[in-house]
């Protein structure tokens, strides 16, 4: 396996392939002098990355000396100024099974992908791209190029030979779910939103609802503020992933994680207040102006009625004369009846009042149309919304998912030219432009009446400062932090949970959520998503039963390996798994035999998926924490 990258995702991906799947990995990283500059607030990031990789290689070398026979498995670190044909050849791309291109720059990844496909048409490519539409075209192009270069390719290499993923798309559902449901345990499959629900131990005599299936038994420290989302400590065996019914029955005092298909049912706002793509008619005029127009219209109607009653004219003629007097274009009522003269004077006076009202209406309508494409300010009475900090790659994806659920959002962004500003403007989402660390910015976002805070900027200290300030304003506010370093995220989580045990706090690392999906795609199977269970991860993968002795010819019950993998759904439609048109059956008969043409959705641990795909680790190692 070859991994090319310039950030912590590359490091995590190389470790995932080496430690979990037992693969030989070559990691291509930028030379230190050519390493790209990172945002302020991350000092020494490049040095930290090189230090971590070097430490991993050192540990690997020591382990190989002790393992003896496993000395051929290692991580090879290569520093290079740029990715060209010579570098790829030196990394062994011509004979590699898979290549992951996870640079933060889309153009760099595309250039390397085109060169790698030319060097090795049978190579399985996993490419990190933010542009999804471009990614779809690139997948088709590279697959077609590989098929033309190999007239009779091995079917194994046709299975997801090119996969385009985005770390932002992979992490966005989990981050959005943290604000919506208080947990990031969400995955999408077959057009459904699946939610892993944490359930407390049932009371004596009660029977817990397993939902679609039970994914895990939580550790004993789940409700302990000193624990890290239930991370194991001394004397605690930690979470038990994919338990069977016997294990669940033998642990009555432990909470569970059950898989459910859910829809959002929380507070929403009307479309004319948030996210309306068109311009609401009611927003053209303010309520005060509408009341003024109504008063003028009522006065005109009263004068027309009085003219009809006093002069005896036809009602239409009386209304016509009233309008002429209103706009000062009627003949003076000289020599006419006193009632007619009085009504003409009143109509002229109402006409004088109408002129400023009409001018104000024109100015308001002009201002409304001019600001139709501008960013909205949060309404004064807004409450129950989600405050989203940062509209970069991740924040933009999270904003789109929250709006698809019709959840009210207020965005805060310091850069008026940020990537997600255009999306916020198009969706008519209220946005505050300003530095979140400055006084008054979070107040402008109505943080004191918010339902949740999502701190997703690219600077850890900014996210932490915003979370601490929000906690001082509202101690029960639901908070989710995006923190770059997972060790730092663990420490922050423990401290905030100990200080505010009644509040919900979550710390998330995008690379931690995305790395398992990238590694699974490199192994040649379609990864639908990942769900964190405490500090571990469960993968949801789409796998064909044909040719797999652990699936083909076995019943659903026989294909279940406790602690490793479990069949949770069966595909019924012709569309590929993971596409919206793919039909999935979730309630499976345990006695149903899996045929060669069947395609199934599996919940699996990282080590279990490696075993299912025929790749075993060099030695028994626990699932990595974080």
């Amino acid at each position: 396996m070859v991994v090319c990258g310039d950030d912590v995702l590359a490091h995590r991906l190389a470790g995932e392939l080496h430690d979990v799947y037992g693969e030989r990995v070559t990691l291509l990283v930028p030379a230190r002098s050519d390493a790209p500059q990172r945002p302020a607030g991350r000092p020494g990031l490049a040095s930290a990355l090189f230090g971590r990789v070097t430490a991993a290689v050192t540990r690997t070398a020591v382990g190989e000396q002790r393992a003896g026979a496993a000395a051929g498995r290692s991580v090879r670190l290569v520093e290079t100024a740029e990715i060209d044909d010579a570098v790829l050849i030196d990394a062994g791309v011509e004979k590699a099974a898979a290549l992951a291109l996870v640079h933060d720059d889309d153009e760099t990844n595309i250039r390397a992908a085109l060169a790698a496909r030319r060097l090795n048409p049978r190579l399985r490519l996993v490419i990190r791209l933010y542009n999804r539409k471009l990614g779809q075209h690139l997948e088709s192009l590279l697959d077609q190029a590989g098929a033309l270069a190999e007239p009779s390719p091995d079917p194994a290499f046709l299975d997801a030979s090119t996969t385009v993923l985005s770390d932002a798309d992979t992490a966005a559902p989990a981050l959005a779910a943290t604000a919506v449901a208080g947990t990031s345990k969400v995955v999408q499959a077959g057009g459904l939103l699946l939610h892993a629900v944490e359930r407390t131990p049932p009371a004596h005599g009660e029977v817990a609802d397993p939902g679609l299936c039970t994914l895990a038994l939580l550790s004993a420290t789940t409700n302990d503020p000193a624990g890290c989302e239930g991370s194991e400590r001394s004397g605690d065996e930690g979470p038990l992933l994919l338990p069977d019914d016997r294990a669940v029955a033998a642990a009555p005092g432990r909470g569970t994680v059950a898989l459910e298909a859910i829809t959002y049912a929380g507070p929403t706002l009307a479309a004319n207040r948030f996210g309306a793509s068109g311009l609401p008619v009611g927003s053209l005029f303010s309520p005060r102006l509408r009341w003024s127009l109504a008063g003028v219209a009522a006065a005109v109607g009263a004068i027309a009625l009085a003219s009809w009653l006093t002069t005896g004219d036809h009602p239409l003629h009386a209304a016509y004369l009233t309008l002429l007097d209103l706009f000062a274009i009627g003949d003076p009522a000289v020599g006419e009846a006193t009632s007619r003269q009085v009504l003409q004077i009143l109509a002229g006076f109402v006409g004088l009042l109408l002129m400023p009202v009409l001018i104000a209406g024109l100015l308001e309508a002009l201002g409304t149309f001019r600001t139709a494409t501008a960013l909205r300010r949060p309404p004064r009475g807004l409450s129950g919304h989600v405050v989203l900090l940062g509209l970069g790659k991740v924040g933009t994806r999270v904003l789109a998912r929250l709006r698809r659920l019709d959840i009210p959002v207020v965005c805060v962004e310091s850069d008026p030219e940020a990537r997600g500003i255009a999306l916020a403007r198009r969706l008519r989402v209220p946005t505050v432009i300003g530095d979140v660390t400055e006084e008054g910015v979070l107040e402008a976002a109505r943080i004191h009446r918010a339902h949740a805070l999502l701190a997703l900027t690219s600077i850890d200290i900014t996210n932490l400062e915003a979370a601490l300030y929000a906690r001082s304003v509202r101690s029960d506010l639901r908070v989710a932090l995006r923190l770059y370093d997972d060790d730092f995220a663990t420490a922050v989580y423990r401290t905030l949970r100990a200080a505010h045990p009644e509040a919900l706090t979550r710390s998330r690392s995008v690379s931690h959520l995305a790395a398992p999906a990238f590694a699974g795609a490199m192994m040649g199977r379609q990864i639908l998503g990942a769900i964190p269970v405490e500090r571990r991860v469960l993968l949801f993968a789409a796998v064909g039963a044909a040719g797999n002795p652990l699936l083909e010819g076995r019943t659903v019950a026989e294909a279940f390996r406790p602690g490793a993998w479990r069949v949770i759904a069966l595909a019924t439609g012709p569309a590929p798994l993971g596409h919206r048109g793919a039909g999935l059956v979730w309630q499976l008969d345990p006695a149903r035999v899996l045929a060669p043409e069947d395609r199934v959705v599996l919940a699996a641990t990282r080590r279990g998926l490696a075993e299912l795909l025929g790749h075993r680790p060099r030695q028994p190692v626990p699932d990595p924490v974080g």
Side-chain angles (χ1 to χ4, degrees):
M1 302 288 177
V2 181
V3 178
C4 302
D6 57 355
D7 60 8
V8 75
L9 177 59
H11 160 69
R12 287 189 179 276
L13 180 54
E16 188 85 10
L17 293 170
H18 178 264
D19 298 333
V20 177
Y21 295 95
E23 293 291 334
R24 288 176 296 174
V25 181
T26 297
L27 178 59
L28 298 179
V29 296
R32 300 194 185 191
S33 59
D34 298 321
Q37 296 295 323
R38 291 294 174 179
R42 292 187 189 168
L45 176 59
S47 300
L49 174 60
F50 282 98
R52 289 181 178 180
V53 174
T54 303
V57 174
T58 302
R59 290 194 301 268
T60 301
V62 173
E64 286 168 358
Q65 292 175 0
R66 295 176 180 176
R73 302 279 186 172
S74 62
V75 175
R76 176 189 173 203
L77 179 63
V78 177
E79 297 183 17
T80 178
E82 60 179 350
I83 306 297
D84 54 17
D85 289 5
V87 172
L88 292 175
I89 293 174
D90 180 65
V93 165
E94 292 178 310
K95 297 182 179 180
L99 167 66
L101 300 165
V102 293
H103 286 274
D104 194 45
D105 178 48
D106 286 0
E107 182 179 353
T108 301
N109 292 332
I110 293 174
R111 288 176 178 271
L114 296 174
R117 177 61 76 209
R118 184 178 66 255
L119 295 173
N120 186 354
R122 297 160 59 89
L123 183 68
R124 184 178 296 117
L125 290 173
V126 178
I127 309 170
R128 174 188 183 182
L129 286 184
Y130 182 80
N131 191 326
R132 287 177 290 189
K133 183 177 294 185
L134 176 61
Q136 294 174 358
H137 295 311
L138 187 64
E139 278 187 358
S140 301
L141 174 65
L142 293 175
D143 284 345
Q144 183 178 0
L148 293 176
E150 293 284 336
S152 300
D154 187 343
F157 286 91
L158 293 179
D159 179 18
S161 60
T162 303
T163 304
V164 175
L165 296 175
S166 168
D167 55 335
D169 281 331
T170 304
L175 293 170
T178 303
V180 175
T183 177
S184 60
K185 301 173 177 60
V186 169
V187 67
Q188 291 189 2
L192 294 178
L193 182 65
L194 303 177
H195 182 203
V197 183
E198 294 184 10
R199 292 176 174 169
T200 57
H204 181 70
E206 294 183 356
V207 178
D209 180 13
L212 295 175
C213 68
T214 299
L215 295 178
L217 282 172
L218 296 174
S219 63
T221 60
T222 301
N223 298 319
D224 182 0
C228 180
E229 292 187 273
S231 290
E232 52 268 41
R233 59 180 181 177
S234 178
D236 185 6
E237 60 182 359
L240 179 60
L241 304 182
L242 300 174
D244 54 13
D245 296 338
R246 189 183 316 170
V248 174
R254 296 172 65 176
T256 60
V257 176
L259 186 66
E260 292 182 347
I262 65 167
T263 56
Y264 176 71
T268 60
L269 292 181
N272 63 349
R273 294 186 66 187
F274 271 99
S277 58
L279 186 63
V281 177
S283 66
L284 286 175
F285 308 110
S286 65
R288 182 180 300 178
L289 182 60
R290 290 197 295 267
W291 279 110
S292 300
L293 289 174
V296 171
V300 172
I303 295 174
L305 178 63
S307 178
W308 169 49
L309 294 176
T310 57
T311 62
D313 289 342
H314 190 275
L316 293 179
H317 186 261
Y320 173 68
L321 291 178
T322 301
L323 291 177
L324 291 179
D325 296 335
L326 182 71
F327 294 109
I329 58 177
D331 293 332
V334 178
E336 298 187 19
T338 303
S339 60
R340 166 70 181 138
Q341 293 176 343
V342 172
L343 291 175
Q344 188 177 57
I345 293 175
L346 292 176
F349 179 72
V350 173
L352 293 177
L353 297 178
L354 178 62
M355 292 303 297
V357 174
L358 293 178
I359 294 175
L362 290 175
L363 292 177
E364 280 200 6
L366 178 61
T368 301
F369 279 109
R370 290 185 64 182
T371 59
T373 57
L375 294 172
R376 298 186 60 187
R377 298 289 295 178
R380 291 185 178 180
L382 180 63
S383 62
H385 57 288
V386 175
V387 177
L388 175 62
L389 308 183
L391 288 176
K393 290 183 178 181
V394 178
T396 302
R397 293 290 194 246
V398 173
L399 173 61
R401 289 187 175 273
L402 291 174
R403 289 304 306 128
R404 280 199 292 268
L405 293 173
D406 198 26
I407 299 172
V409 184
V410 173
C411 299
V412 179
E413 174 57 53
S414 60
D415 182 9
E417 303 297 328
R419 186 187 298 267
I421 291 294
L423 178 64
R425 182 181 292 110
R426 178 169 58 85
L427 296 178
R428 303 288 293 153
V429 175
T431 303
V432 178
I433 300 297
D435 188 349
V436 71
T437 61
E438 296 179 355
E439 185 177 357
V441 174
L442 282 178
E443 284 83 354
R446 309 291 187 262
I447 190 65
H448 58 287
R449 288 193 295 230
H451 169 70
L453 170 68
L454 282 177
L456 306 180
T457 71
S458 59
I459 305 175
D460 288 0
I461 299 301
T462 299
N463 294 336
L464 179 59
E465 182 176 350
L468 293 177
Y469 180 78
R471 275 278 179 264
S472 67
V473 175
R474 276 191 57 187
S475 60
D476 61 340
L477 182 68
R478 179 175 294 167
V479 174
L481 299 174
R482 173 196 176 188
L483 298 178
Y484 194 80
D485 185 87
D486 200 60
D487 294 335
F488 183 49
T490 301
V492 168
Y493 171 82
R494 288 176 172 173
T495 305
L496 288 177
R497 184 170 179 176
H500 303 277
E502 301 300 325
L504 182 63
T505 306
R506 292 290 184 265
S507 56
R508 300 298 178 210
S509 168
V510 173
S511 61
H512 167 67
L513 297 173
F518 278 79
M522 291 187 72
M523 302 308 298
R525 292 297 185 268
Q526 185 178 13
I527 301 297
L528 302 179
I531 285 181
V533 178
E534 300 179 5
R535 305 306 292 187
R536 298 183 180 178
V537 173
L538 272 178
L539 300 179
F540 288 79
V543 179
N548 194 320
L550 299 175
L551 297 176
E552 183 181 355
R554 295 175 178 261
T555 64
V556 173
E558 293 172 346
F560 175 31
R561 179 75 62 84
W565 65 80
R566 180 172 187 169
V567 177
I568 61 174
L570 180 68
T572 59
L577 282 172
H579 286 62
R580 189 172 295 274
L584 295 176
V585 177
W586 296 96
Q587 299 293 343
L588 297 178
D589 182 3
R592 196 219 191 263
V593 178
L594 298 178
E597 63 274 8
D598 286 339
R599 297 171 298 160
V600 298
V601 175
L602 294 167
T605 64
R606 294 184 283 190
R607 192 171 65 249
L609 183 60
E611 181 180 352
L612 185 67
L613 301 181
H615 299 269
R616 299 175 180 271
R618 304 183 311 278
Q619 55 186 354
V621 293
D623 268 350
V625 176

